[in-house]
Amino acid sequence: MNTPLRLLALSCLLALLTSVSAQSDVVNVYSARHYDSDEELFNEFTEQTGIEVNVIEANADELIERIRSEGANSPADVIITVDAGRLWRADQAGLLAPVESPVLEAAIPESLRHPEGKWFGLTRRVRAIVYNRETVDSSELSTYENLADPEWEGRVCIRSSGNVYNQSLVASLIEAHGAAAAEEWAEGLVENFARNPQGGDTDQILAVAAGECDVAVANHYYLARLITSDDPADREVADRVEIFFPNQESRGAHVNISGAGVVTSAPNQRNAIRFIEFLTTPQAQEIFARGNNEFPVVEGVPASDVAQGFGEFEADSVSVAAYGENNPEAVRIMDRAGWR
């Protein structure tokens, strides 16, 4: 090989090595989670592996649209979001790559991950009933289905149908009972609204404590935040309410997830897989549990003290992938029922 060709070959080799090196020490994470404890997770991953975590935060729909617009040149390696319905949206947009990982398959129950490995649950979130302890006896409560019965007329608070948590709840009812029964339930629930849907889950709990409604549907960790708040007013609200896990005599309480997937065009795919695997280690799962009082997905990892204080519960074993698959029908049902 003559000198110019030898120099050219050397230049190409150096460029390749530089590229490999660049991919070996970074992972770019697009996250819809906004918790200080997640920063602790990222720092711990870097300390253990030497791989730097670059994070962009926004809501899930914004992140999905950003990756779509960036196309094949997107720097995103991992997308983290909350609710299986949003992970389904990312998958439907063609943004998630199938991953084969014995580590993830062993750590995460089958019902909490995509059947083809396109996303993996990281935490569990129970959509529970919060009730006013002065106006409701726990013996009155039983199931999500029961909230559509006439006895609850004018007594139920819940956020809007635009909220993906509620869309996934309806999607789970479709999976359990079929679309017709789910629509009948949604119509009954709307009849029982104490007020027009407004605000987030914390606002529903505040309304229960204030006597605007007797029961509300909310993710469990919103109550945990009030219990552990530094604000005495928040703790006073928490003292006025109790939490109830529905459907304990049947299929179990509705469980959703926060989860992560590897982006199809990930420039650092191996680092991305390694990063998600780290998030399922006992150490990382404990940080998740402690940071936002979510329930771990990995068996044997304890929940936070506050979450444990809510008591043991049976969880619905349905695959959370069904929430995304049933989401379009759930939205149509809620619209027809007048759930705004």
Side-chain angles (χ1 to χ4, degrees):
M1 182 181 295
N2 61 38
T3 299
L5 288 177
R6 190 180 301 113
L7 291 174
L8 179 60
L10 179 60
S11 177
C12 291
L13 178 60
L14 289 172
L16 177 61
L17 291 174
T18 300
S19 175
V20 170
S21 175
Q23 294 184 40
S24 68
D25 60 2
V26 68
V27 61
N28 300 312
V29 177
Y30 284 26
S31 179
R33 288 175 57 93
H34 311 294
Y35 309 119
D36 292 341
S37 56
D38 286 13
E39 186 67 27
E40 181 182 351
L41 283 166
F42 304 153
N43 291 338
E44 185 62 34
F45 176 73
T46 298
E47 184 174 333
Q48 291 190 19
T49 65
I51 298 171
E52 190 72 27
V53 182
N54 298 321
V55 182
I56 291 177
E57 291 187 353
N59 71 47
D61 291 334
E62 290 172 344
L63 293 174
I64 290 169
E65 183 53 39
R66 176 167 180 161
I67 296 172
R68 289 181 64 175
S69 65
E70 289 171 342
N73 295 321
S74 175
D77 296 309
V78 174
I79 182 169
I80 299 176
T81 187
V82 294
D83 196 281
R86 290 184 173 122
L87 290 163
W88 175 81
R89 292 176 192 173
D91 181 31
Q92 290 298 294
L95 304 184
L96 302 181
V99 169
E100 291 186 11
S101 167
V103 172
L104 295 174
E105 291 168 9
I108 304 172
E110 188 174 0
S111 64
L112 303 180
R113 51 183 164 87
H114 189 276
E116 298 174 10
K118 291 187 177 181
W119 47 257
F120 300 88
L122 301 174
T123 67
R124 295 183 297 150
R125 302 160 155 231
V126 181
R127 197 129 185 86
I129 296 173
V130 176
Y131 64 95
N132 187 310
R133 64 173 63 188
E134 293 185 357
T135 60
V136 177
D137 189 278
S138 62
S139 63
E140 299 177 67
L141 300 167
S142 58
T143 65
Y144 302 103
E145 291 86 342
N146 170 255
L147 294 180
D149 289 350
E151 67 186 276
W152 295 104
E153 183 176 358
R155 302 174 70 188
V156 179
C157 281
I158 194 168
R159 61 199 290 183
S160 76
S161 62
N163 173 246
V164 73
Y165 302 156
N166 287 336
Q167 292 171 10
S168 290
L169 176 60
V170 175
S172 74
L173 290 167
I174 293 172
E175 192 69 13
H177 304 301
E183 184 157 358
E184 183 179 355
W185 175 83
E187 291 170 351
L189 187 72
V190 170
E191 288 294 322
N192 292 343
F193 284 174
R195 63 179 189 179
N196 291 330
Q198 54 192 270
D201 277 12
T202 300
D203 296 298
Q204 313 314 310
I205 299 172
L206 293 174
V208 170
E212 295 180 51
C213 42
D214 290 333
V215 298
V217 179
N219 285 1
H220 76 277
Y221 51 86
Y222 287 95
L223 178 56
R225 289 179 191 171
L226 294 172
I227 292 171
T228 58
S229 173
D230 293 331
D231 187 342
D234 288 342
R235 298 196 299 274
E236 184 178 347
V237 166
D239 287 340
R240 295 176 184 171
V241 303
E242 294 282 357
I243 193 167
F244 181 86
F245 295 124
N247 296 76
Q248 293 303 283
E249 302 300 321
S250 54
R251 68 181 187 279
H254 172 69
V255 170
N256 213 315
I257 60 171
S258 63
V262 175
V263 177
T264 305
S265 57
N268 307 292
Q269 187 179 76
R270 283 179 295 180
N271 291 350
I273 296 171
R274 191 175 178 185
F275 174 73
I276 298 175
E277 289 176 344
F278 165 78
L279 296 179
T280 65
T281 61
Q283 178 187 13
Q285 288 284 294
E286 287 179 8
I287 294 172
F288 274 131
R290 183 177 73 246
N292 192 43
N293 295 294
E294 295 166 272
F295 291 103
V297 296
V298 176
E299 186 177 358
V301 177
S304 69
D305 290 343
V306 175
Q308 289 185 52
F310 293 154
E312 296 184 358
F313 65 94
E314 291 295 326
D316 193 346
S317 61
V318 67
S319 172
V320 298
Y323 305 163
E325 295 166 4
N326 294 337
N327 180 272
E329 182 64 23
V331 171
R332 289 191 291 268
I333 283 173
M334 297 166 90
D335 284 347
R336 288 195 296 267
W339 186 341
R340 300 291 182 253

